[in-house]
Amino acid sequence: MQDRDKLENELQELRTVVDAFDGSLRRLAMGDLHQQIEQPLPRGYEGMRKDFNRGLASVSATIDTVLTRAREAHMDCGEVRDSLKRTTDEQAARASAMTGLAADAGSAAETARSQSAHVEHVAAILHNARLDIRRPKDAAAEAVTAAQRTCQSLAALKTMTEEVRTLLRETALLSLNGGVNAAHAGVDGQEALDIAKNLHALTQQVGSTVEALTEATDAVVAQAEATSTAATQVTREFDAIDVYTEALDSQLTSLGESSRRHAGVVDALRSDLISLVRSKRPADETALPPDIQLGNMERAIADIERQASRYTEVRIVTPPAGPAPGNGRRSHLRLVKT
């Protein structure tokens, strides 16, 4: 009888242990990691209950940590997505600005080349003008030389008219003296007197002609000197124009070289901008964009969270009172997720 009672007690203890673990395992099967075995078990099975509760608590804490970290990862992914979007927008704006700068640089280079071509054209026109200006300059120099020769010839002619005027005065005096002597001679000197009078009248006419010739020579000399002065001034103006055109030609040459250098610098800048824009593109075209990779990470985190969310607290609903004991059916638990 004692053995039978002992066996029944052990069987009752085992039944208690099995019922406790059965309920806990059923809740665990439904995903409840927070419902531990609270009722004490027989002394021999108390350590098993504590180990089970401790392991269940450790798993529950791990799942809670996984869920917390998943939520934090979700928020971090959202922040990363926002930051990535801002960065992408900034890079797109920067690339657009750099593309615009490259286009502006190309336009500036084209403008510089066009200006260089215009400068070369103007320089060619100026060079031809410098060549063409030599003929009127030489003509003005010849006019100056001719005017100077004319002045010299007129000066010589004036000198000769002065000599002729002197000779005429002496001739007039001789004719007067001859007339006076002929008048004193009487009838014999009448012929000589007539000759002296005619000679005196002739000298008077020649003197008037010489006087007019002298005045005309003076006017021509004055005009020749004015012409020579004007021609000299024209020659000086041509010299000044030649100096100005030479300086302008030098400046145009320097401007053309500067325009060509500017066009080269702008072309190099445009090439650098285009290279910089191209360098911003991903080297591996087959690699996934960052937003797609981030979406894959979010989906993986969501899947982990969904799997971990299965293990949540379960609310126990006590079933209604069943039939009287002794019908052979055992009570059961209805597990409902919160």
Side-chain angles (χ1 to χ4, degrees):
M1 288 296 294
Q2 291 180 355
D3 293 336
R4 182 179 177 180
D5 293 338
K6 183 178 181 181
L7 289 174
E8 286 180 357
N9 291 333
E10 291 179 357
L11 181 61
Q12 185 66 31
E13 290 178 356
L14 287 174
R15 186 174 295 169
T16 302
V17 172
V18 170
D19 289 341
F21 277 98
D22 178 66
S24 295
L25 291 176
R26 285 176 184 272
R27 291 193 298 269
L28 181 60
M30 294 301 296
D32 186 6
L33 298 176
H34 299 81
Q35 294 293 335
Q36 298 183 358
I37 301 175
E38 300 296 340
Q39 62 179 0
L41 297 179
R43 182 177 301 177
Y45 302 97
E46 187 65 23
M48 185 184 297
R49 183 182 71 84
K50 292 180 179 180
D51 292 339
F52 179 80
N53 289 339
R54 188 164 44 251
L56 195 62
S58 177
V59 174
S60 176
T62 301
I63 294 298
D64 290 340
T65 302
V66 170
L67 291 174
T68 302
R69 294 294 184 268
R71 295 188 187 96
E72 293 176 354
H74 267 305
M75 292 187 292
D76 292 341
C77 286
E79 294 177 357
V80 171
R81 183 178 294 278
D82 293 339
S83 176
L84 181 62
K85 185 178 182 304
R86 289 194 299 270
T87 302
T88 303
D89 293 341
E90 291 176 358
Q91 289 180 353
R94 191 179 298 112
S96 177
M98 292 173 66
T99 303
L101 288 176
D104 293 340
S107 177
E110 187 64 27
T111 302
R113 283 192 291 269
S114 177
Q115 289 179 351
S116 178
H118 285 306
V119 168
E120 290 178 356
H121 183 63
V122 173
I125 294 174
L126 181 62
H127 179 71
N128 294 331
R130 291 185 64 193
L131 294 178
D132 293 338
I133 207 173
R134 291 179 181 176
R135 289 191 295 271
K137 180 181 178 180
D138 294 340
E142 291 177 359
V144 170
T145 302
Q148 290 176 352
R149 290 175 181 174
T150 301
C151 289
Q152 293 175 357
S153 299
L154 291 173
L157 180 62
K158 185 176 181 180
T159 301
M160 287 186 292
T161 56
E162 292 293 336
E163 292 177 355
V164 170
R165 182 182 296 175
T166 302
L167 292 175
L168 287 174
R169 284 196 298 269
E170 292 177 355
T171 303
L173 291 175
L174 291 174
S175 65
L176 288 175
N177 292 329
V180 171
N181 293 328
H184 289 296
V187 179
D188 295 334
Q190 186 65 38
E191 184 177 359
L193 180 61
D194 293 336
I195 293 172
K197 289 181 179 179
N198 292 330
L199 181 61
H200 185 269
L202 182 61
T203 55
Q204 290 294 324
Q205 293 177 358
V206 173
S208 299
T209 302
V210 171
E211 187 67 25
L213 181 62
T214 301
E215 292 178 357
T217 302
D218 291 337
V220 172
V221 168
Q223 293 177 358
E225 289 178 352
T227 302
S228 177
T229 302
T232 303
Q233 186 65 29
V234 170
T235 303
R236 291 175 181 176
E237 293 295 333
F238 275 120
D239 291 336
I241 292 173
D242 193 15
V243 173
Y244 295 151
T245 54
E246 183 178 0
L248 183 59
D249 190 13
S250 176
Q251 292 297 322
L252 286 174
T253 302
S254 177
L255 182 59
E257 294 176 355
S258 177
S259 298
R260 287 190 291 272
R261 287 195 302 270
H262 179 66
V265 171
V266 175
D267 279 332
L269 178 61
R270 178 174 176 271
S271 300
D272 293 340
L273 287 173
I274 293 175
S275 301
L276 186 59
V277 171
R278 290 177 178 175
S279 66
K280 295 297 182 181
R281 299 174 181 173
D284 187 6
E285 298 293 340
T286 60
L288 293 176
D291 54 345
I292 296 180
Q293 295 179 357
L294 186 60
N296 293 335
M297 291 174 59
E298 286 182 336
R299 284 190 292 273
I301 293 171
D303 186 63
I304 293 173
E305 186 178 9
R306 185 173 58 256
Q307 294 295 332
S309 297
R310 294 177 58 247
Y311 301 97
T312 58
E313 294 185 9
V314 176
R315 181 166 54 87
I316 300 176
V317 179
T318 305
N327 58 2
R329 297 181 61 184
R330 299 177 57 190
S331 62
H332 63 277
L333 295 175
R334 184 180 180 184
L335 305 178
V336 180
K337 286 188 177 182
T338 57

